[in-house]
Amino acid sequence: MQPTVCLTFDFDAISVWLGTLGLATPTYVSRGEFAANVATPRILDLLEREGVTSTWYIPGLDVDTYPDVCKRIRDAGHEIGHHGYAHEGPTSLDETAERRVLERGLDALDRVLGVRPAGYRSPAFDLSANSTRLLAEYGFRYDSSMMARDFEMYRCRTGDVITTDGITFGPELDLVEVPVSWTLDDFPFLEFALMPPMVMPASTDVEGLTRRWLSDLDFMAEEVPHGVFTHTFHPQSIGRGSRIKVLERMIHRAKEHGARFSTVTDAVDAWQSRPAGSA
């Protein structure tokens, strides 16, 4: 069975620093500029050379700020998904505010790119109690923010009641979950951020990180061949200097396994069309 690999990129140029971390100094803004003006073109060139199609989750603020590079992503045939407006985490929003963010992101993607996204990825991989219900209401086909499985899709639920007195799971929605993992995300391992009194240290063992990622890919190809390997990259992290070679190595290893590179929506289509009772 041919394994499926979905390379995904969270294009959090300036919005991740501003919206999630509250950092708007010139230095942090410049890191967003690097993501948009240097790293993303570098990554797109690599994907074109390798013949790889991918999925990009783009906050509306970054679409509005960097329309030309976002249009290049679209025109190269890559999928574009929703990623908030200013990288706002839904868990800090009430339902009205969460709706507003969804709508602002949808407006930016439509107004600038003419795109109505099928998929959503939450900033910082977290959802509110309202998120999955709202995503289904707004017509999204899938979410890619949760972690109940590693390489296999499943249906999202709504209405879970989670307390120390007991847990009740709510009903499933017609919304597919494409699971992610912090261990397959480059940002926490590769980005340094100084946010007194907190420091986000970057790992210096990039080679060790690469070996772990390759081992995860090997495991899926060998043990879960019907699964989908979803890796999360950020242009400012993976597109800097020699780190672009890490992405290249991941692509080459996937090709050695005979993997099919897919957008997330195409992988969801394949999962939904599988014969009843199949894995």
Side-chain angles (χ1 to χ4, degrees):
M1 181 175 293
Q2 185 181 29
T4 299
V5 170
C6 292
L7 300 181
T8 70
F9 298 86
D10 290 3
F11 183 81
D12 315 330
I14 294 175
S15 63
V16 66
W17 307 113
L18 178 64
T20 297
L21 301 177
L23 300 168
T25 62
T27 294
Y28 283 99
V29 170
S30 73
R31 291 169 73 167
E33 291 180 276
F34 173 83
N37 297 328
V38 180
T40 293
R42 188 177 286 167
I43 292 166
L44 291 172
D45 288 345
L46 171 62
L47 297 177
E48 183 178 7
R49 287 197 306 271
E50 296 290 343
V52 171
T53 303
S54 62
T55 297
W56 293 66
Y57 299 96
I58 310 180
L61 178 64
D62 293 306
V63 171
D64 283 334
T65 306
Y66 297 108
D68 291 341
V69 73
C70 291
K71 289 175 183 176
R72 181 180 170 189
I73 294 168
R74 177 202 63 191
D75 293 347
H78 302 291
E79 178 187 3
I80 293 175
H82 195 299
H83 200 41
Y85 185 77
H87 209 267
E88 310 91 339
T91 57
S92 64
L93 305 175
D94 62 22
E95 182 171 341
T96 299
E98 189 170 357
R99 284 182 181 275
R100 187 182 309 117
V101 167
L102 282 173
E103 290 170 1
R104 289 188 77 192
L106 287 170
D107 172 70
L109 292 174
D110 179 47
R111 174 170 36 81
V112 178
L113 302 177
V115 167
R116 176 74 185 196
Y120 173 84
R121 174 170 287 164
S122 170
F125 286 160
D126 209 356
L127 300 171
S128 77
N130 300 312
S131 295
T132 55
R133 173 173 52 82
L134 290 176
L135 293 175
E137 178 185 329
Y138 279 87
F140 288 92
R141 295 187 53 212
Y142 75 84
D143 170 69
S144 185
S145 312
M146 294 191 285
M147 309 179 186
R149 300 189 183 184
D150 48 9
F151 306 121
E152 297 169 287
M153 300 183 195
Y154 57 96
R155 298 281 178 185
C156 297
R157 295 188 306 270
T158 188
D160 288 359
V161 179
I162 310 295
T163 72
T164 54
D165 293 326
I167 297 174
T168 302
F169 294 121
E172 289 187 348
L173 293 164
D174 188 20
L175 181 72
V176 177
E177 180 59 36
V178 183
V180 291
S181 169
W182 280 114
T183 61
L184 292 175
D185 185 313
D186 59 356
F187 196 91
F189 298 106
L190 298 179
E191 285 301 318
F192 173 86
L194 182 61
M195 302 166 286
M198 185 176 78
V199 175
M200 181 189 296
S203 171
T204 58
D205 187 10
V206 176
E207 182 60 32
L209 176 63
T210 306
R211 288 195 300 270
R212 292 194 295 275
W213 285 345
L214 291 171
S215 293
D216 280 341
L217 177 57
D218 293 342
F219 176 87
M220 193 212 74
E222 295 162 6
E223 303 294 335
V224 196
H226 61 277
V228 176
F229 186 87
T230 304
H231 204 143
T232 303
F233 296 106
H234 296 74
Q236 60 230 53
S237 303
I238 204 66
R240 187 177 286 278
S242 62
R243 295 173 187 172
I244 194 75
K245 295 296 184 180
V246 176
L247 176 58
E248 187 176 55
R249 288 173 65 184
M250 296 297 298
I251 292 171
H252 291 173
R253 180 64 65 87
K255 288 182 175 181
E256 290 172 8
H257 285 295
R260 177 178 71 96
F261 291 96
S262 172
T263 66
V264 177
T265 289
D266 286 346
V268 169
D269 286 342
W271 184 77
Q272 290 181 311
S273 65
R274 71 201 190 289
S278 63

